[in-house]
Amino acid sequence: MIILTVIGARPQFIKASMVSRSLQNKGIREIILHTGQHYDDNMSKVFFEEMGIPNPEFNLGVGPGTHAEQTAASLKGIEKAILKEKPDLVMVFGDTNATLAGALAASKLHISVAHVEAGLRSYNRSMPEEINRVLTDVISSYLFCPTHAAIENLKKEGIREGVHLTGDVMVDSLYHFTKIAENKSDILDVLNLETGEYGLVTIHRPSNADDRDKLFRLMNALNQSSIPLIFPVHPRTKKILSEFNLEYQMIHPVNPVGYLDMLLLEKNAQIIVTDSGGIQKEAYLHKVPCLTLRSETEWVETVEDGWNTIVNDKFEKLPELIKSPPKPHQWNSHYGEGNAAKTITEILTNH
Ligand code: UD1
Ligand code: UDP
């Protein structure tokens, strides 16, 4: 069996890492195609190196652009790769433009698509990711769902065939690499941080980062925090922030960090403030309270259990919420036990 894995953005390297390892263990030939949507060393190369992901055999060098530009360039390059390599299956992850391009290119060539992280929904169609997810799920043959809620979402859309509950591959990565990070990462010393005495912030959704006034309001609210906030700045957000040229006493911007450093920063934080999908769930897995800078979340279990609070754009509440977030009331292994990649590999090899 030959599998073409299509990835292109930071969270996809993290999602693909343990699946790739598991396919290798089973002796399955995997060809990795990187669309090149993310291309800075600290947005791409560092993950391949730290997580031992095999080098991509294709890199399309797509880079920045509009949605149509990125998706179209990816689609063309993926089609060429499929025609050359003739894979039995194309595997896509999550909800980026690479996900949709991979699924579309494959399905038009009558190649089965496996979607890892199928069935997630925000029910907010103004998010580009929501469009990518809905369309990808419709044309996938294998829908690997991280949660029961994802399966229910698919049912509502009439999708029942090929649906499997596998758990979440990000749990596999987090459990595996947190142990390694504890030995290898010195990020707390480098940034002079004490466990539990700082907050961790990330911002990259267009709904926050591309709206100058909103971002300015958000930064000013965060700067009222009673604890220092470490802020690895996504390149989308960096572009706009550099125009403000403002000094913040409580916010400490740093370049995007590698996965091992990120895991330790998350695990030792008093609180996480983010608009990232993956980081909300990682906060839950590390049992760190999270404040989400969005109007809804796909990871509904984190909110139901009290670990995650949807702040929406009520940024004026942030200083108080950072000081005393709502108390969580339960924790469950909603996202699996860390063997999602193995389950996915077994399903693929048994079909
Ligand atoms: C993309 C995904 C989003 C995901 C996020 C993870 C889509 C539609 N969006 O959003 O779902 O949550 O990745 O981080 O696929 N840039 C650099 N260097 C890089 C990468 C990006 O400078 O290595 C800059 C470029 O100027 C680019 C901007 O960041 O224009 C945004 O990058 P892009 O990949 O278009 O979108 P993301 O916001 O990263
Ligand atoms: N991440 C990282 N370094 C950073 C910021 C994020 O390694 O500086 C990791 C994070 O731990 C998570 C993933 O990147 O596993 C989340 O990616 P991102 O927030 O870019 O995208 P999203 O999950 O929102 O699609």
Side-chain angles (χ1 to χ4, degrees), residues 69-186:
E69 284 164 352
Q70 278 180 341
T71 312
S74 304
L75 197 50
K76 270 175 104 170
I78 297 165
E79 186 180 63
K80 263 195 193 152
I82 294 176
L83 291 171
K84 178 162 183 273
E85 302 290 344
K86 302 188 175 48
D88 302 291
L89 183 95
V90 169
M91 179 134 59
V92 297
F93 294 81
D95 52 23
T96 75
N97 289 340
T99 316
L100 176 60
L104 200 49
S107 60
K108 291 279 181 84
L109 292 171
H110 310 295
I111 307 287
S112 297
V113 176
H115 184 201
V116 177
E117 209 184 76
L120 287 198
R121 296 292 180 268
S122 63
Y123 296 102
N124 175 355
R125 292 259 169 122
S126 71
M127 284 179 77
E129 293 81 5
E130 184 75 354
I131 311 284
N132 292 340
R133 292 181 196 121
V134 170
L135 297 178
T136 299
D137 284 339
V138 171
I139 52 180
S140 292
S141 302
Y142 295 89
L143 297 107
F144 295 129
C145 294
T147 58
H148 289 286
I151 293 185
E152 292 307 310
N153 292 338
L154 291 175
K155 272 190 199 155
K156 283 184 218 152
E157 293 169 24
I159 303 175
R160 289 162 194 270
E161 295 263 310
V163 175
H164 303 270
L165 180 68
T166 58
D168 191 323
V169 289
M170 287 185 86
V171 176
D172 301 22
S173 310
L174 183 136
Y175 288 166
H176 182 82
F177 286 102
T178 299
K179 283 188 226 131
I180 296 174
E182 269 158 359
N183 288 321
K184 283 203 172 163
S185 167
D186 57 358

